[in-house]
Amino acid sequence: MGKLDGRVVIVTGAARGQGEQEARLFTEEGARVVVADVLDEQGRTLAAELRALYVHLDVGEEADWTDAVAAAKRAYGRIDGLVNNAGILRFNALVNTPLDEFMQVVRVNQVGCFLGVKAVAPELTDGGTIVNTASYTGLTGMAAVGAYAATKHAVVGLTRVAALELAPRGIRVNAVCPGAIDTAMSNPARLDPDADTEETSRALDALYRKLVPLGRVGRPEEVARLALFLSCEDSSYITGQPFVIDGGWLAGVTVI
Ligand code: NAD
């Protein structure tokens, strides 16, 4: 028995990184997954491997959401879960952040999550689940990622409101708040096909050894396991909460 047997789950930003690991784990646990992304080639390849459905979905485009929901219903007849995972990161001090850049981040991270809830919730079966991907920076500040942190705080707020509004239908809405996770977002070397990923991961671990109490960067598979917990019956009495997965980074600082 899988933890998601018979359930249909849409995962956005699923072509790589945490979304890819969520698509893989959810499939292993018996779900029929809709792999959604703007990286069509990578998304299609993954979907073919998982025997899943691929949809081109730019999360900032309302019409794309309408098409994705229709495609999921056509293929599987129902939708039981959504993982709003797609996101982008830009580095800039606030005073140097062009408005266009700020709005680009808002469009994907914040509007994307809002449109996902808006388009999918009415189609979710009662008892369905939504997992929004916020961040460690959805709960605390971090210099040089002002646009990103603002959107991730917004995702936590959106999660709480959606949980209240959808609870009467038994739909649970929670957020995952990862710290530093070893994907292309934190480790752009992963995008270089010639890079030795083991070596770049070791370099990232070394960087986080001093910052993170558990002494290493997180793995996308670890975030996928949290998203699974929040998408299955194991979390049946949990809704409206942000879940930090950061190796203890947010717990505080060590001074001696
Ligand atoms: P990633 O860059 O490997 O994956 C992001 C995915 O989102 C990519 O597949 C990308 O194509 C997709 N995407 C980007 N814009 C999109 C759009 N407009 N529509 C649809 N898909 C789009 O990074 P990741 O670490 O796997 O990121 C997944 C989520 O986790 C993001 O929301 C990110 O903000 C969050 N997060 C990541 C970290 C980290 O350290 N990696 C930490 C905290 C939170």
Side-chain angles (χ1 to χ4, degrees):
M1 283 277 287
K3 287 181 184 285
L4 295 174
D5 274 345
R7 292 177 84 79
V8 175
V9 184
I10 300 174
V11 183
T12 69
R16 73 178 192 213
Q18 295 173 44
E20 175 187 345
Q21 295 307 323
E22 286 157 358
R24 288 184 182 282
L25 181 61
F26 283 28
T27 303
E28 275 170 34
E29 290 292 341
R32 286 164 295 173
V33 172
V34 179
V35 173
D37 209 300
V38 289
L39 294 175
D40 294 332
E41 201 181 317
Q42 268 175 271
R44 280 207 183 89
T45 304
L46 177 69
E49 183 193 329
L50 301 180
R51 298 177 186 223
L53 174 70
Y54 176 74
V55 294
H56 174 92
L57 168 62
D58 177 344
V59 294
E61 283 294 322
E62 194 160 18
D64 281 10
W65 276 105
T66 307
D67 292 348
V69 166
K73 297 266 303 223
R74 239 187 347 264
Y76 300 128
R78 55 188 287 156
I79 306 173
D80 305 286
L82 167 66
V83 181
N84 272 321
N85 163 75
I88 58 172
L89 171 67
R90 299 287 181 270
F91 290 98
N92 241 328
L94 280 173
V95 295
N96 296 328
T97 303
L99 178 58
D100 277 359
E101 181 178 297
F102 192 92
M103 294 311 293
Q104 194 188 10
V105 178
V106 167
R107 182 182 171 279
V108 177
N109 296 4
Q110 184 174 341
V111 175
C113 242
F114 156 66
L115 288 178
V117 171
K118 186 177 179 213
V120 176
E123 302 294 334
L124 277 179
T125 49
D126 289 358
T129 56
I130 298 176
V131 176
N132 293 323
T133 306
S135 166
Y136 164 97
T137 63
L139 299 168
T140 190
M142 185 183 284
V145 297
Y148 183 82
T151 62
K152 294 302 189 179
H153 275 73
V155 169
V156 172
L158 190 83
T159 299
R160 292 183 171 127
V161 173
L164 295 172
E165 293 183 359
L166 297 172
R169 292 177 48 212
I171 294 171
R172 298 182 296 104
V173 188
N174 291 291
V176 295
C177 299
I181 307 299
D182 189 0
T183 66
M185 185 175 281
S186 288
N187 185 3
R190 282 190 163 269
L191 294 175
D192 175 359
D194 298 326
D196 176 341
T197 48
E198 300 263 315
E199 194 185 311
T200 60
S201 292
R202 271 198 301 276
L204 211 60
D205 277 344
L207 177 67
Y208 284 98
R209 193 156 296 136
K210 289 199 187 102
L211 289 176
V212 174
L214 288 183
R216 64 172 175 85
V217 71
R219 310 288 176 222
E221 293 85 348
E222 294 175 310
V223 180
R225 289 200 292 272
L226 177 57
L228 170 65
F229 170 70
L230 295 172
S231 300
C232 78
E233 271 302 292
D234 290 348
S235 58
S236 56
Y237 199 51
I238 298 176
T239 195
Q241 295 304 315
F243 287 82
V244 178
I245 172 164
D246 69 345
W249 203 3
L250 199 60
V253 292
T254 305
V255 290
I256 52 166

